[in-house]
Amino acid sequence: MADAPLVTPPDPSKAMDDRWRQTHLGRLLGHAMRRFDERVLHLMAHNEGVPLALSNLAARDQISAAHVHITRHLAIEGSRLTDLAQAAGMSKQAMGDLVDQCTAWGLVQRQSDLQDARAKRVVFTADGLAWLQAFKDAVAQAEAEFRDAVGQDVATVVALGLEAYAH
């Protein structure tokens, strides 16, 4: 019986360059989105138009980017839970949990759907509309900070590229 040939371990100096795993586009987009959302939530927590209870929740990191899905996707006239979940790319159950939390915090409420008596619509409360305005203000400021950080030309190219890629 012949001895098996010895396998030489790879030379570490010739190992494959794996920096791409940290710098590929998807990872950079994910980091950028988290940074942007964190900044938006920070600005919202310090917005004088936000009801104090909501501001305190945001300041203590009790409101997360997941809760912002409701802010981003809930139609002004209200939305059915299934439509809201689909728009946010979440399961109906996960969105239902978020809506329950946001209802408890006074951001939204459930109302009967006038077009389907069996269905409910999720709608903003007055405090929720104040939260939505704070979201709008925070997004505008975070976008301005992005433009200041990378320059107007780069910011424009990034925005156009992301818009084209997303659709």
Side-chain angles (χ1 to χ4, degrees):
M1 182 176 227
D3 290 334
L6 293 176
V7 176
T8 307
D11 181 355
S13 66
K14 295 181 181 177
M16 185 172 80
D17 180 6
D18 70 346
R19 287 178 288 184
W20 66 270
R21 295 188 306 156
Q22 304 301 316
T23 60
H24 65 81
L25 185 59
R27 188 167 175 108
L28 294 172
L29 287 169
H31 287 313
M33 186 179 79
R34 279 188 295 282
R35 179 178 176 183
F36 190 86
D37 284 349
E38 286 170 5
R39 182 64 178 145
V40 166
L41 285 170
H42 174 80
L43 292 168
M44 291 174 73
H46 296 89
N47 184 308
E48 292 179 8
V50 171
L52 185 58
L54 293 173
S55 178
N56 286 335
L57 286 168
R60 292 192 327 254
D61 294 328
Q62 299 298 307
I63 296 178
S64 69
H67 294 96
V68 174
H69 282 308
I70 291 176
T71 311
R72 278 191 183 115
H73 299 288
L74 181 58
I76 297 298
E77 68 278 2
S79 302
R80 290 184 181 173
L81 185 66
T82 53
D83 296 333
L84 188 55
Q86 182 178 12
M90 301 173 68
S91 70
K92 184 178 172 185
Q93 181 178 357
M95 182 55 76
D97 291 343
L98 285 176
V99 168
D100 288 344
Q101 286 179 339
C102 290
T103 299
W105 296 338
L107 282 173
V108 299
Q109 62 186 3
R110 287 183 170 94
Q111 294 180 344
S112 297
D113 188 327
L114 299 177
Q115 296 179 4
D116 184 348
R118 301 166 297 163
K120 296 280 187 186
R121 295 185 74 71
V122 179
V123 298
F124 284 112
T125 62
D127 283 350
L129 290 172
W131 178 260
L132 182 61
Q133 182 61 49
F135 179 69
K136 179 181 179 183
D137 296 345
V139 166
Q141 183 172 339
E143 286 180 352
E145 291 170 0
F146 174 74
R147 284 190 302 278
D148 289 345
V150 302
Q152 183 63 42
D153 291 344
V154 171
T156 299
V157 169
V158 168
L160 290 171
L162 290 174
E163 186 176 340
Y165 183 72
H167 299 287

